[in-house]
CSV table of all heavy atoms in Angstrom, one decimal:
chain,number,residue,atom,x,y,z
A,196,LYS,N,0.8,-1.2,0.0
A,196,LYS,CA,0.0,0.0,0.0
A,196,LYS,C,0.9,1.3,0.0
A,196,LYS,O,0.6,2.2,-0.8
A,196,LYS,CB,-0.9,0.0,1.2
A,196,LYS,CG,-1.9,1.2,1.2
A,196,LYS,CD,-2.9,1.0,2.4
A,196,LYS,CE,-3.9,2.2,2.4
A,196,LYS,NZ,-4.8,2.1,3.5
A,197,ALA,N,1.9,1.3,0.8
A,197,ALA,CA,2.7,2.4,0.9
A,197,ALA,C,3.5,2.7,-0.4
A,197,ALA,O,3.7,3.8,-0.8
A,197,ALA,CB,3.7,2.3,2.1
A,198,THR,N,4.0,1.6,-1.0
A,198,THR,CA,4.7,1.7,-2.2
A,198,THR,C,3.8,2.3,-3.3
A,198,THR,O,4.2,3.2,-4.1
A,198,THR,CB,5.3,0.4,-2.7
A,198,THR,OG1,6.1,-0.1,-1.6
A,198,THR,CG2,6.1,0.6,-4.0
A,199,GLU,N,2.6,1.8,-3.3
A,199,GLU,CA,1.6,2.3,-4.3
A,199,GLU,C,1.3,3.8,-4.1
A,199,GLU,O,1.3,4.6,-5.1
A,199,GLU,CB,0.3,1.5,-4.2
A,199,GLU,CG,-0.7,2.0,-5.3
A,199,GLU,CD,-2.0,1.2,-5.1
A,199,GLU,OE1,-2.1,0.2,-4.3
A,199,GLU,OE2,-3.0,1.4,-5.9
A,200,ILE,N,1.2,4.2,-2.9
A,200,ILE,CA,1.0,5.6,-2.6
A,200,ILE,C,2.2,6.5,-3.0
A,200,ILE,O,2.0,7.5,-3.6
A,200,ILE,CB,0.7,5.8,-1.1
A,200,ILE,CG1,-0.6,5.2,-0.7
A,200,ILE,CG2,0.7,7.3,-0.7
A,200,ILE,CD1,-0.9,5.2,0.7
A,201,ALA,N,3.3,6.0,-2.7
A,201,ALA,CA,4.6,6.7,-3.1
A,201,ALA,C,4.7,6.8,-4.6
A,201,ALA,O,5.1,7.9,-5.1
A,201,ALA,CB,5.8,6.0,-2.5
A,202,ILE,N,4.4,5.7,-5.3
A,202,ILE,CA,4.5,5.8,-6.8
A,202,ILE,C,3.6,6.8,-7.4
A,202,ILE,O,3.9,7.5,-8.3
A,202,ILE,CB,4.3,4.4,-7.4
A,202,ILE,CG1,5.5,3.5,-6.9
A,202,ILE,CG2,4.2,4.4,-8.9
A,202,ILE,CD1,5.3,2.0,-7.3
A,203,ARG,N,2.4,6.9,-6.8
A,203,ARG,CA,1.4,7.8,-7.4
A,203,ARG,C,1.6,9.2,-6.9
A,203,ARG,O,1.0,10.1,-7.5
A,203,ARG,CB,-0.1,7.3,-6.9
A,203,ARG,CG,-0.5,6.0,-7.6
A,203,ARG,CD,-1.9,5.7,-7.1
A,203,ARG,NE,-2.3,4.4,-7.7
A,203,ARG,CZ,-3.5,3.8,-7.5
A,203,ARG,NH1,-4.3,4.3,-6.7
A,203,ARG,NH2,-3.8,2.7,-8.1
A,204,ASP,N,2.3,9.4,-5.9
A,204,ASP,CA,2.5,10.8,-5.4
A,204,ASP,C,3.3,11.6,-6.5
A,204,ASP,O,4.3,11.2,-6.9
A,204,ASP,CB,3.3,10.8,-4.1
A,204,ASP,CG,3.3,12.1,-3.4
A,204,ASP,OD1,3.5,13.1,-4.0
A,204,ASP,OD2,2.9,12.0,-2.1
A,205,SER,N,2.8,12.8,-6.8
A,205,SER,CA,3.4,13.6,-7.8
A,205,SER,C,4.8,14.0,-7.4
A,205,SER,O,5.7,14.2,-8.3
A,205,SER,CB,2.6,14.9,-8.1
A,205,SER,OG,2.5,15.6,-6.9
A,206,ARG,N,5.1,14.1,-6.1
A,206,ARG,CA,6.4,14.5,-5.8
A,206,ARG,C,7.4,13.4,-6.1
A,206,ARG,O,8.5,13.7,-6.5
A,206,ARG,CB,6.5,14.9,-4.3
A,206,ARG,CG,5.8,16.1,-3.9
A,206,ARG,CD,5.4,16.2,-2.5
A,206,ARG,NE,4.5,15.1,-2.1
A,206,ARG,CZ,4.1,14.9,-0.9
A,206,ARG,NH1,4.4,15.7,0.0
A,206,ARG,NH2,3.3,13.9,-0.7
A,207,PHE,N,7.0,12.2,-5.8
A,207,PHE,CA,7.9,11.1,-6.2
A,207,PHE,C,8.0,11.0,-7.7
A,207,PHE,O,9.1,10.6,-8.2
A,207,PHE,CB,7.3,9.7,-5.6
A,207,PHE,CG,7.6,9.6,-4.2
A,207,PHE,CD1,6.7,10.0,-3.2
A,207,PHE,CD2,8.8,9.0,-3.7
A,207,PHE,CE1,6.9,9.9,-1.9
A,207,PHE,CE2,9.0,8.8,-2.4
A,207,PHE,CZ,8.1,9.3,-1.4
A,208,ASP,N,6.9,11.3,-8.4
A,208,ASP,CA,7.0,11.3,-9.9
A,208,ASP,C,8.1,12.3,-10.3
A,208,ASP,O,8.9,12.1,-11.3
A,208,ASP,CB,5.7,11.7,-10.5
A,208,ASP,CG,4.6,10.6,-10.4
A,208,ASP,OD1,5.1,9.5,-10.2
A,208,ASP,OD2,3.5,10.9,-10.6
A,209,ALA,N,8.1,13.5,-9.7
A,209,ALA,CA,9.2,14.5,-10.1
A,209,ALA,C,10.6,13.9,-9.8
A,209,ALA,O,11.5,14.1,-10.6
A,209,ALA,CB,9.0,15.7,-9.3
A,210,VAL,N,10.8,13.2,-8.7
A,210,VAL,CA,12.1,12.6,-8.4
A,210,VAL,C,12.4,11.5,-9.5
A,210,VAL,O,13.6,11.5,-10.0
A,210,VAL,CB,12.1,12.0,-7.0
A,210,VAL,CG1,13.3,11.2,-6.8
A,210,VAL,CG2,11.9,13.1,-5.9
A,211,ARG,N,11.4,10.7,-9.7
A,211,ARG,CA,11.7,9.6,-10.7
A,211,ARG,C,12.0,10.2,-12.1
A,211,ARG,O,12.9,9.7,-12.8
A,211,ARG,CB,10.4,8.7,-10.9
A,211,ARG,CG,10.2,7.8,-9.6
A,211,ARG,CD,8.8,7.3,-9.7
A,211,ARG,NE,8.6,6.5,-10.9
A,211,ARG,CZ,7.3,6.3,-11.4
A,211,ARG,NH1,6.3,6.9,-10.9
A,211,ARG,NH2,7.2,5.6,-12.4
A,212,ARG,N,11.4,11.3,-12.5
A,212,ARG,CA,11.6,11.9,-13.8
A,212,ARG,C,13.1,12.5,-13.8
A,212,ARG,O,13.8,12.3,-14.8
A,212,ARG,CB,10.6,13.0,-14.0
A,212,ARG,CG,10.7,13.6,-15.4
A,212,ARG,CD,9.5,14.6,-15.6
A,212,ARG,NE,9.5,15.1,-17.0
A,212,ARG,CZ,10.2,16.1,-17.5
A,212,ARG,NH1,11.0,16.7,-16.7
A,212,ARG,NH2,10.2,16.4,-18.8
A,213,ARG,N,13.5,13.1,-12.7
A,213,ARG,CA,14.8,13.7,-12.7
A,213,ARG,C,15.9,12.6,-12.7
A,213,ARG,O,16.9,12.7,-13.4
A,213,ARG,CB,15.0,14.5,-11.4
A,213,ARG,CG,14.3,15.8,-11.4
A,213,ARG,CD,14.6,16.6,-10.1
A,213,ARG,NE,16.0,17.0,-10.1
A,213,ARG,CZ,16.5,17.8,-9.1
A,213,ARG,NH1,15.7,18.3,-8.2
A,213,ARG,NH2,17.7,18.1,-9.0
A,214,LEU,N,15.6,11.5,-12.1
A,214,LEU,CA,16.6,10.3,-12.1
A,214,LEU,C,16.7,9.7,-13.5
A,214,LEU,O,17.8,9.4,-14.0
A,214,LEU,CB,16.1,9.3,-11.1
A,214,LEU,CG,16.2,9.7,-9.6
A,214,LEU,CD1,15.7,8.6,-8.7
A,214,LEU,CD2,17.6,10.1,-9.2
A,215,LEU,N,15.5,9.5,-14.1
A,215,LEU,CA,15.5,9.0,-15.5
A,215,LEU,C,16.2,9.9,-16.5
A,215,LEU,O,16.9,9.5,-17.3
A,215,LEU,CB,14.1,8.7,-15.9
A,215,LEU,CG,13.3,7.5,-15.2
A,215,LEU,CD1,11.9,7.6,-15.6
A,215,LEU,CD2,14.0,6.2,-15.6
A,216,LEU,N,15.9,11.2,-16.4
A,216,LEU,CA,16.6,12.2,-17.2
A,216,LEU,C,18.2,12.2,-17.0
A,216,LEU,O,18.9,12.3,-18.0
A,216,LEU,CB,16.1,13.6,-17.0
A,216,LEU,CG,14.7,13.8,-17.5
A,216,LEU,CD1,14.2,15.2,-17.1
A,216,LEU,CD2,14.6,13.7,-19.0
A,217,ALA,N,18.6,12.0,-15.7
A,217,ALA,CA,20.0,11.8,-15.4
A,217,ALA,C,20.6,10.6,-16.1
A,217,ALA,O,21.7,10.7,-16.7
A,217,ALA,CB,20.2,11.8,-13.9
A,218,GLU,N,19.9,9.5,-16.1
A,218,GLU,CA,20.3,8.3,-16.7
A,218,GLU,C,20.4,8.5,-18.3
A,218,GLU,O,21.4,8.1,-18.9
A,218,GLU,CB,19.3,7.1,-16.5
A,218,GLU,CG,19.3,6.7,-15.0
A,218,GLU,CD,18.4,5.5,-14.8
A,218,GLU,OE1,18.2,4.7,-15.8
A,218,GLU,OE2,17.8,5.3,-13.8
A,219,LYS,N,19.4,9.1,-18.8
A,219,LYS,CA,19.4,9.4,-20.3
A,219,LYS,C,20.5,10.3,-20.7
A,219,LYS,O,21.2,10.0,-21.7
A,219,LYS,CB,18.0,10.0,-20.7
A,219,LYS,CG,17.8,10.2,-22.2
A,219,LYS,CD,16.4,10.7,-22.5
A,219,LYS,CE,16.3,10.8,-24.0
A,219,LYS,NZ,14.9,11.2,-24.3
A,220,ASN,N,20.8,11.3,-19.8
A,220,ASN,CA,21.9,12.3,-20.2
A,220,ASN,C,23.3,11.5,-20.1
A,220,ASN,O,24.1,11.8,-20.9
A,220,ASN,CB,21.9,13.4,-19.1
A,220,ASN,CG,22.9,14.4,-19.4
A,220,ASN,OD1,23.0,15.1,-20.5
A,220,ASN,ND2,23.8,14.6,-18.5
A,221,ALA,N,23.4,10.6,-19.1
A,221,ALA,CA,24.7,9.9,-19.0
A,221,ALA,C,24.9,9.0,-20.3
A,221,ALA,O,26.0,8.9,-20.8
A,221,ALA,CB,24.7,9.0,-17.8
A,222,LEU,N,23.8,8.3,-20.7
A,222,LEU,CA,23.9,7.5,-21.9
A,222,LEU,C,24.2,8.3,-23.1
A,222,LEU,O,25.0,7.8,-24.0
A,222,LEU,CB,22.6,6.7,-22.1
A,222,LEU,CG,22.4,5.5,-21.2
A,222,LEU,CD1,21.0,4.9,-21.3
A,222,LEU,CD2,23.4,4.4,-21.3
A,223,ASN,N,23.5,9.4,-23.3
A,223,ASN,CA,23.8,10.2,-24.5
A,223,ASN,C,25.3,10.8,-24.5
A,223,ASN,O,25.9,10.9,-25.5
A,223,ASN,CB,22.8,11.4,-24.5
A,223,ASN,CG,21.4,11.0,-25.1
A,223,ASN,OD1,21.3,10.2,-26.0
A,223,ASN,ND2,20.4,11.5,-24.5
A,224,ASP,N,25.7,11.1,-23.3
A,224,ASP,CA,27.1,11.6,-23.2
A,224,ASP,C,28.1,10.6,-23.5
A,224,ASP,O,29.1,10.8,-24.2
A,224,ASP,CB,27.3,12.1,-21.7
A,224,ASP,CG,28.6,12.8,-21.6
A,224,ASP,OD1,28.8,13.8,-22.4
A,224,ASP,OD2,29.4,12.5,-20.7
A,225,ALA,N,27.8,9.3,-23.1
A,225,ALA,CA,28.7,8.2,-23.4
A,225,ALA,C,28.7,7.9,-24.9
A,225,ALA,O,29.7,7.5,-25.5
A,225,ALA,CB,28.3,6.9,-22.6
A,226,LEU,N,27.5,8.0,-25.5
A,226,LEU,CA,27.4,7.8,-26.9
A,226,LEU,C,28.2,8.9,-27.7
A,226,LEU,O,28.9,8.5,-28.7
A,226,LEU,CB,25.9,7.8,-27.3
A,226,LEU,CG,25.6,7.5,-28.8
A,226,LEU,CD1,26.1,6.1,-29.2
A,226,LEU,CD2,24.1,7.6,-29.1
A,227,ARG,N,28.1,10.1,-27.3
A,227,ARG,CA,28.8,11.2,-28.0
A,227,ARG,C,30.3,11.0,-27.9
A,227,ARG,O,31.1,11.3,-28.8
A,227,ARG,CB,28.4,12.5,-27.4
A,227,ARG,CG,27.1,13.1,-27.9
A,227,ARG,CD,26.9,14.5,-27.5
A,227,ARG,NE,27.0,14.8,-26.1
A,227,ARG,CZ,26.0,14.7,-25.3
A,227,ARG,NH1,24.7,14.5,-25.8
A,227,ARG,NH2,26.0,14.9,-24.0
A,228,LYS,N,30.8,10.5,-26.7
A,228,LYS,CA,32.2,10.4,-26.4
A,228,LYS,C,32.8,9.0,-27.0
A,228,LYS,O,33.9,8.7,-26.8
A,228,LYS,CB,32.5,10.4,-24.9
A,228,LYS,CG,32.3,11.8,-24.4
A,228,LYS,CD,32.5,11.8,-22.9
A,228,LYS,CE,32.3,13.3,-22.3
A,228,LYS,NZ,32.4,13.3,-20.8
A,229,ARG,N,31.8,8.2,-27.6
A,229,ARG,CA,32.2,6.9,-28.2
A,229,ARG,C,32.6,6.0,-27.2
A,229,ARG,O,33.4,5.0,-27.4
A,229,ARG,CB,33.2,7.1,-29.3
A,229,ARG,CG,32.9,8.0,-30.4
A,229,ARG,CD,31.8,7.3,-31.3
A,229,ARG,NE,31.6,8.0,-32.5
A,229,ARG,CZ,30.5,8.8,-32.7
A,229,ARG,NH1,29.6,8.9,-31.7
A,229,ARG,NH2,30.3,9.5,-33.8
A,230,ILE,N,32.2,6.1,-25.9
A,230,ILE,CA,32.5,5.2,-24.8
A,230,ILE,C,31.6,3.9,-25.0
A,230,ILE,O,32.1,2.8,-24.8
A,230,ILE,CB,32.3,5.8,-23.5
A,230,ILE,CG1,33.2,7.0,-23.3
A,230,ILE,CG2,32.5,4.8,-22.3
A,230,ILE,CD1,32.9,7.8,-22.0
A,231,LEU,N,30.3,4.1,-25.4
A,231,LEU,CA,29.4,3.0,-25.6
A,231,LEU,C,29.0,3.0,-27.1
A,231,LEU,O,28.9,4.0,-27.7
A,231,LEU,CB,28.2,3.1,-24.7
A,231,LEU,CG,28.5,3.0,-23.2
A,231,LEU,CD1,27.2,3.2,-22.4
A,231,LEU,CD2,29.1,1.7,-22.7
A,232,SER,N,28.6,1.8,-27.6
A,232,SER,CA,28.2,1.7,-29.0
A,232,SER,C,26.8,2.0,-29.1
A,232,SER,O,26.0,1.9,-28.1
A,232,SER,CB,28.5,0.3,-29.5
A,232,SER,OG,27.7,-0.6,-28.8
A,233,GLU,N,26.3,2.4,-30.3
A,233,GLU,CA,24.9,2.8,-30.5
A,233,GLU,C,24.0,1.5,-30.3
A,233,GLU,O,22.8,1.7,-29.8
A,233,GLU,CB,24.8,3.3,-31.9
A,233,GLU,CG,23.4,3.9,-32.2
A,233,GLU,CD,23.3,4.8,-33.4
A,233,GLU,OE1,24.4,5.2,-33.8
A,233,GLU,OE2,22.3,5.0,-33.9
A,234,GLU,N,24.5,0.3,-30.7
A,234,GLU,CA,23.7,-0.8,-30.5
A,234,GLU,C,23.3,-1.1,-29.0
A,234,GLU,O,22.3,-1.6,-28.8
A,234,GLU,CB,24.4,-2.1,-31.1
A,234,GLU,CG,24.6,-2.1,-32.6
A,234,GLU,CD,25.7,-1.1,-33.0
A,234,GLU,OE1,26.5,-0.7,-32.2
A,234,GLU,OE2,25.8,-0.9,-34.2
A,235,VAL,N,24.2,-0.7,-28.2
A,235,VAL,CA,24.0,-0.9,-26.7
A,235,VAL,C,23.1,0.2,-26.2
A,235,VAL,O,22.2,0.0,-25.4
A,235,VAL,CB,25.3,-1.0,-26.0
A,235,VAL,CG1,25.0,-1.1,-24.4
A,235,VAL,CG2,26.0,-2.3,-26.4
């Protein structure tokens, strides 16, 4: 129940969105620097 409430809470949504954007930025940066391949 608590996890469901937390997931639906808009404040947790904002945190999740920031974390996902941080992950996406890290992957794009690694792709630009040719650290990781596009297939991955």
